[in-house]
Amino acid sequence: MWDLAGAGVLRLPSGRLVRGRGLRDAMPSGHPPQVGVYLLGSPPPEFGWESHWIRWPDFRLPGDPAAMTRVLVEILDRSADARVEVACSGGRGRTGTALACLAVLDGIQPREAVAFVRRNYHPRAVETPWQRRFVERFSSA
């Protein structure tokens, strides 16, 4: 599991840990993730661990919300016993939005998820009004 002292580790209501990060930043020290979700406009480089790419241009919304939901459901399940990370270029907008959606899947009410992620991950997570609306309307259905 992740070290909670490490930067960007979000503890979900269930106690599961997910690391959020910006790919522009240096890789945090410690163990690498076992699986990652990368939210980018183009495919990410090969990392050396299992990864999922969600096409998601900067400051926008995911190109395929249903596919994103499927990946997030899988990642939430995997976070029970694996080191999972979610990342975009800067680690705030798209990453914060995906983390807020994970919080919804883990039991947080959609209208409370952005505040939860801002309080527990980064104060400027979920950067745009449309990202906030996306989280408020998000469900696993």
Side-chain angles (χ1 to χ4, degrees):
M1 298 308 288
W2 293 117
D3 173 8
L4 272 179
V9 177
L10 174 67
R11 181 184 294 277
L12 294 166
S14 64
R16 294 174 185 211
L17 304 175
V18 178
R19 181 174 72 191
R21 76 176 177 108
L23 294 173
R24 289 190 299 236
D25 300 330
M27 173 67 102
S29 62
H31 297 291
Q34 292 165 304
V35 62
V37 177
Y38 302 99
L39 318 164
L40 302 165
S42 57
E46 187 60 41
F47 290 105
W49 51 81
E50 181 183 345
S51 65
H52 300 271
W53 170 48
I54 297 172
R55 183 183 300 275
W56 193 335
D58 203 7
F59 297 106
R60 305 259 173 96
L61 296 174
D64 185 345
M68 182 206 74
T69 300
R70 285 190 299 274
V71 169
L72 291 182
V73 167
E74 176 188 336
I75 289 304
L76 181 60
D77 184 56
R78 298 278 304 275
S79 69
D81 57 13
R83 290 183 309 276
V84 173
E85 82 171 0
V86 175
C88 64
S89 295
R92 293 191 186 134
R94 293 169 285 182
T95 297
T97 302
L99 291 174
C101 291
L102 279 171
V104 171
L105 292 172
D106 202 48
I108 295 284
Q109 291 297 312
R111 290 201 168 269
E112 299 169 12
V114 171
F116 173 82
V117 170
R118 286 180 175 169
R119 196 171 47 252
N120 296 291
Y121 169 66
H122 194 285
R124 292 192 319 237
V126 188
E127 294 176 314
T128 69
W130 43 92
Q131 289 171 341
R132 174 185 276 281
R133 277 192 304 274
F134 183 83
V135 172
E136 290 172 354
R137 297 174 182 162
F138 181 78
S139 76
S140 62

